[in-house]
Amino acid sequence: MFVFVCAGCDAVLTAPLSQVELPDHAHQQYGNGIRSMPVLMESGTFAVEQEPWGPPWRRWEEFTQEETEARGVYAPVWALSDALPGAVLMAPGDTRGTVLIPERAGGGGCCGLGGDEGPNTACQECGLPVATRIDDCSLWQTLWLAPDAVRRVPAGPAPEPLSWEEVVAERKFAPPTDELLDRWSPAWEPAIGAALAHLLVASEGRPVDVPGGLVASVFQRTLEGLLPPGEPGVPGRTPKKAVLAGPGLPAPDGTADIALVPRHPQTGETWRPPSGRPNALVPLAAAVWLYLAFESLAFEKEWLPVPATGGLPAGVLRDDPAPPTHSKWLFRPDMAAFIRTLSRLPEVRSPWLSEVYGELTSFGGRYRGLF
């Protein structure tokens, strides 16, 4: 456990916090003008953005190839941040002894604090700007501690990371739909977008078949739009088989080419099968993977079109709603999360993937509507 203190006067600025993985939706803007976005981080936790993020920004053309590759970016993006790496993401309610800076309270926001002008929150004791509070419409409610304005201080023994068995037993999953927004969950779209980038790399340009049900609903349409159609027996067109794999699931059989596996919710490490097969692993946020692996199948089995006992008149099926595993809206992976992830995978420089990436980032018509 840690607390963060002001680098200027050592005043305590946070409650005791434990570190978790940075969420895929840490930088997401969801929709346009949505005012009901919740707090992003669970109380009592923090995550660290290892890359520079936030103002000032520099256009891609201002960097050399050596500079971008040193930062782990292998394909053109609109801009890269020149801020310091190591910003700390936390829930606003876990702050202590801070005040808003009135002249920065606008922050470029529409309905709240946008954070576009840099730190808008100061240490109450010495006035040093220490954090950026964000709560504008369509943005998750967050607080980002500036890495050069705070220090991390131990505040008790760090909890041991959960074992994979404990992660499965805890079942801390994210449902795919948001009842308040009446849409797909905002957290799912970036998680699937990030995993899709890894899945595209693992495809090596061949078609990919994923499991049916909810997995197919969130992956298959976009994959079919980005990859050539499958033609069994034709070199380069025989589909690769992707399966769900991970703790608590049976080991994939020998026909699986790709495995969708969880990332540890605390450490971010990718689960790896004991046997080492299949070789191609696609990491997926644990909260989404847990739902796909265990909950979605349970819901589909519980809801039957006819009663398990008794009966209905001939030709009549149940008219009560099916389980909430799907939204009425078409699922679209978050393009920003997809592009951000793909641009940071060295394989994006391969000729076929570079062509796909170039057309996506230039809003080419061939891929319009996939995201």
Side-chain angles (χ1 to χ4, degrees):
M1 302 289 287
F2 299 93
V3 296
F4 290 86
V5 302
C6 174
C9 68
D10 286 339
V12 174
L13 301 176
T14 72
L17 306 173
S18 60
Q19 187 168 2
V20 297
E21 179 192 30
L22 184 76
D24 291 317
H25 49 296
H27 302 295
Q28 179 191 28
Q29 178 173 339
Y30 185 77
N32 182 24
I34 296 175
R35 301 187 65 178
S36 55
M37 295 298 286
V39 174
L40 188 148
M41 295 295 289
E42 184 178 347
S43 181
T45 67
F46 75 94
V48 178
E49 173 57 89
Q50 301 295 342
E51 288 191 31
W53 192 266
W57 297 89
R58 288 170 60 195
R59 295 291 299 272
W60 175 262
E61 294 80 10
E62 300 176 36
F63 292 89
T64 66
Q65 182 176 342
E66 291 75 17
E67 287 177 312
T68 57
E69 292 192 359
R71 293 178 60 161
V73 185
Y74 302 99
V77 294
W78 183 80
L80 287 172
S81 171
D82 248 0
L84 291 173
V88 175
L89 174 62
M90 56 179 285
D94 283 334
T95 54
R96 303 290 186 268
T98 62
V99 293
L100 284 174
I101 303 172
E103 57 270 26
R104 294 188 182 178
C110 171
C111 304
L113 301 172
D116 295 337
E117 298 175 5
N120 56 21
T121 304
C123 170
Q124 190 173 21
E125 289 293 325
C126 70
L128 179 70
V130 293
T132 302
R133 171 81 159 91
I134 296 174
D135 60 9
D136 198 10
C137 55
S138 291
L139 299 176
W140 293 84
Q141 297 185 45
T142 57
L143 188 126
W144 292 87
L145 294 172
D148 58 342
V150 300
R151 292 189 299 105
R152 186 191 307 191
V153 177
E160 287 292 324
L162 298 174
S163 67
W164 281 112
E165 291 74 18
E166 290 170 326
V167 170
V168 171
E170 198 174 55
R171 295 286 171 91
K172 226 175 205 182
F173 59 79
T177 56
D178 187 297
E179 294 183 7
L180 185 62
L181 297 173
D182 190 29
R183 296 181 69 95
W184 290 97
S185 165
W188 271 57
E189 295 178 1
I192 299 299
L196 185 66
H198 290 275
L199 192 50
L200 200 62
V201 167
S203 76
E204 298 180 310
R206 286 169 52 186
V208 174
D209 288 335
V210 300
L214 186 55
V215 182
S217 295
V218 297
F219 280 111
Q220 196 69 61
R221 182 186 69 90
T222 310
L223 282 172
E224 290 175 355
L226 293 171
L227 296 169
E231 296 183 47
V234 177
R237 293 292 184 91
T238 302
K240 286 192 172 188
K241 180 181 177 182
V243 298
L244 282 170
L249 294 183
D253 61 32
T255 64
D257 302 295
I258 303 168
L260 300 167
V261 299
R263 297 194 314 262
H264 197 282
Q266 294 167 299
T267 66
E269 293 181 2
T270 300
W271 179 88
R272 298 190 176 278
S275 65
R277 287 186 52 86
N279 295 324
L281 302 180
V282 172
L284 183 59
V288 173
W289 181 89
L290 284 166
Y291 193 94
L292 289 173
F294 301 106
E295 299 301 320
S296 63
L297 293 177
F299 271 125
E300 290 167 7
K301 289 177 181 177
E302 288 173 6
W303 193 88
L304 301 173
V306 294
T309 59
L312 288 173
V316 176
L317 299 178
R318 290 171 58 168
D319 60 359
D320 55 314
T325 57
H326 294 70
S327 167
K328 63 184 178 182
W329 303 95
L330 186 68
F331 184 86
R332 298 180 185 276
D334 185 274
M335 186 171 183
F338 172 76
I339 292 296
R340 186 179 185 217
T341 304
L342 188 56
S343 67
R344 286 152 174 81
L345 297 175
E347 294 86 350
V348 73
R349 296 175 295 189
S350 63
W352 78 271
L353 196 47
S354 179
E355 181 181 346
V356 172
Y357 184 90
E359 188 152 350
L360 277 168
T361 52
S362 62
F363 303 99
R366 182 154 56 119
Y367 301 124
R368 191 168 297 154
L370 294 180
F371 295 88

